[in-house]
């Protein structure tokens, strides 16, 4: 089974952009805190946590209803050890998808 270089580059690029997004979100929250803009900081944290929770719920549902089409060894191991829910509770579902 050959893995195209373009798929690899898109996967790595997607993960790097995801990590950059997380870092910029943290930077924005810290900036609001230092400027004492607590309402905007609270709204931003609420939106970030809400959207992240929604993504994890949809990811878990996707895995739950698509049980038979495991693609990678990592996904198979996680499913066999029943760690899927735990990973999604701790916001690690995105990393599992990139593995």
């Amino acid at each position: 089974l050959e893995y195209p270089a373009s798929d690899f580059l898109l996967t790595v690029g997607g993960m790097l952009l995801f990590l950059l997004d997380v870092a910029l979100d943290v930077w924005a929250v810290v900036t609001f805190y230092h400027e004492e803009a607590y309402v905007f900081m609270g709204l931003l944290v609420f939106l970030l946590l809400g959207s992240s929770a929604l993504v994890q719920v949809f990811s878990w549902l996707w895995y739950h209803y698509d049980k038979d089409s495991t693609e990678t060894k990592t996904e198979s191991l996680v499913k066999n050890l029943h760690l899927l829910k735990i990973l999604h509770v701790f916001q690690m579902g995105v990393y599992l998808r990139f593995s």
Side-chain angles (χ1 to χ4, degrees):
L1 184 68
E2 189 173 322
Y3 193 72
S6 61
D7 286 356
F8 175 75
L9 292 174
L10 287 172
T11 300
V12 171
M15 181 58 91
L16 290 174
L17 288 174
F18 172 74
L19 293 173
L20 177 65
D21 179 53
V22 170
L24 291 174
D25 291 340
V26 170
W27 175 74
V29 169
V30 169
T31 301
F32 280 137
Y33 178 78
H34 287 300
E35 293 177 359
E36 298 180 0
Y38 300 120
V39 173
F40 291 119
M41 182 189 75
L43 182 62
L44 180 60
V45 168
F46 172 76
L47 291 172
L48 291 171
L49 292 178
S51 64
S52 182
L54 203 59
V55 165
Q56 296 302 319
V57 167
F58 283 125
S59 177
W60 181 81
L61 287 171
W62 182 7
Y63 275 124
H64 180 72
Y65 289 115
D66 212 15
K67 294 177 183 174
D68 298 329
S69 64
T70 304
E71 295 183 13
T72 66
K73 291 179 183 178
T74 305
E75 289 174 336
S76 299
L77 176 66
V78 169
K79 284 182 180 182
N80 290 339
L81 294 177
H82 305 289
L83 295 174
L84 197 55
K85 287 180 188 176
I86 296 169
L87 282 175
H88 282 83
V89 166
F90 289 105
Q91 305 291 305
M92 299 300 289
V94 171
Y95 296 106
L96 178 63
R97 293 234 179 258
F98 278 104
S99 64

